[in-house]
Amino acid sequence: MITQVRHPIWLPAVKPAGARTFATLYALESFARATITSVVPIQAYELLQNKQTVSLLYTLVAMIGLSATLFMPLLIERFSRRWIYTAGASLLAIGSLLFMTHSMPGQLLGMLARVMGASALAITLNLYIMDHIRKTEIMQAESMRMAWSMVAWTGGPTLGVFLYTHYGIVAAQGLVVVFAAAQLVAFWYFRLGDNALIRPGRTRPASPLRNIRRFVSQPRLRLAWVIAFGRSCFWTTFFVYGPILMVATGQGELAGGLLVSAGNAVLFTAIFWGRAGRRFSARKIMTLAFFAISASLFAAGFSGEIWPLATGGFLLVGALFTVALDALGSTAFLRAVRSYERPQMTAVYRTYLDLSELLPPLVYSLVLSFFGLGGVFGTLGILTIACGLIAWRYLPKSM
């Protein structure tokens, strides 16, 4: 009939969301975040000229970011996941615009926008993954997601520092805006929708405090959180104090970017670690990883600022084993969480990232009052030993 309306052919032609879909979205997000990973602490150090004050700044930002994370389920319920994801990508771009002011207010607000944007993206993406990926395929999908982001986390930090030192802050931060825009285009092209199954019912409380109590009451969720917190503490320390180590010891800003890029280059081993986990059990691989990280951190603590290049090398060894936890660690949570409370429990689980950005800088600000940067790495080594013992004791042998 002449009045019949035909929809464009390309709309229904988009393939159902799968592991490649989420690997693509995460890779674009990684480019948006990784490009200024080394630039942000260097900017903060240039503005404040004090390592201890930089730690306190990160602590303040993490405290505010933690509050935003806990209230994220309320926002998702009110506005839907697709709009929260969109807001998260937009905040990454807004944060970079604020960084361009190169002022303390711009630095603080830019870091806040960056933290809240990352929180919104992490929670919503995890919800989409649990919607579309079977539990038996999660380990493989997660290792693919980490491996695909390898290019971003390898080249991004060095590229960002190169642009910052040679072409100025606008060039480095402007690239983030481009990647955030590309991420939004890809997201809306894939047309990921909300699943009614995971939307909380009217009788289910959405209070952040009640969500925390519910999370803590489940041993497997507690265990998953500890594993994630331990690995995230390593990356927080590596991304912030690695570049500061290079700058403070006279190696230069570019050396800091190269160190972070080299640490991220080992993300390509995520697929290897995923296969190792399926063959030898995730429990054994994760326990081995934690103990190996501890050994490398104690070695880095010993060399400290005396032999900065050796310290950087030890940190790279730790990064290699931390990738194993990236590839396998989230499996513990994704397999344990119940479908009807995914938004609430995912938000609480996501606090591992906020607290890993809050507590270590707070502790390190005290450590730095008495010791150098070597004390920072040694302190983290004690935490990772504890995480390794917990993983060995409580992770199911069948995992």
Side-chain angles (χ1 to χ4, degrees), residues 86-119:
T86 300
S90 300
L91 281 170
L92 295 183
I94 293 170
S96 285
L97 295 175
L98 291 166
F99 284 132
M100 289 181 190
T101 65
H102 202 59
S103 62
M104 269 312 302
Q107 184 76 17
L108 175 59
L109 293 175
M111 291 173 69
L112 286 173
R114 182 173 161 85
V115 166
M116 290 188 288
S119 174

Side-chain angles (χ1 to χ4, degrees), residues 273 276-277 280-290 324-325 328:
W273 288 118
F280 300 107
S281 87
R283 173 176 176 264
K284 292 180 180 178
I285 297 299
M286 284 193 278
T287 303
L288 168 67
F290 270 123
L325 300 174
L328 303 174

Side-chain angles (χ1 to χ4, degrees), residues 200-271:
R202 293 182 179 179
T203 59
R204 189 164 295 117
S207 164
L209 291 178
R210 298 183 72 172
N211 290 339
I212 293 173
R213 286 197 295 268
R214 174 62 182 158
F215 187 98
V216 172
S217 68
Q218 300 180 61
R220 291 183 63 188
L221 294 184
R222 294 200 306 266
L223 175 61
W225 190 94
V226 169
I227 293 171
F229 177 73
R231 68 179 169 87
S232 188
C233 283
F234 177 88
W235 287 124
T236 297
T237 304
F238 183 78
F239 289 151
V240 175
Y241 295 92
I244 289 177
L245 170 71
M246 293 297 131
V247 173
T249 56
Q251 307 304 309
E253 297 172 341
L254 187 58
L258 288 171
L259 175 63
V260 173
S261 289
N264 289 319
V266 297
L267 280 171
F268 79 91
T269 63
I271 292 179

Side-chain angles (χ1 to χ4, degrees), residues 145-197:
R145 187 161 66 102
M146 292 298 110
W148 278 37
S149 67
M150 181 265 294
V151 176
W153 288 106
T154 300
T158 299
L159 175 61
V161 173
F162 175 81
L163 292 174
Y164 179 62
T165 54
H166 289 78
Y167 299 99
I169 192 171
V170 174
Q173 299 292 349
L175 193 57
V176 175
V177 178
V178 174
F179 283 123
Q183 179 187 354
L184 280 177
V185 171
F187 172 73
W188 282 97
Y189 170 77
F190 290 132
R191 301 197 312 280
L192 297 173
D194 289 14
N195 187 337
L197 177 63

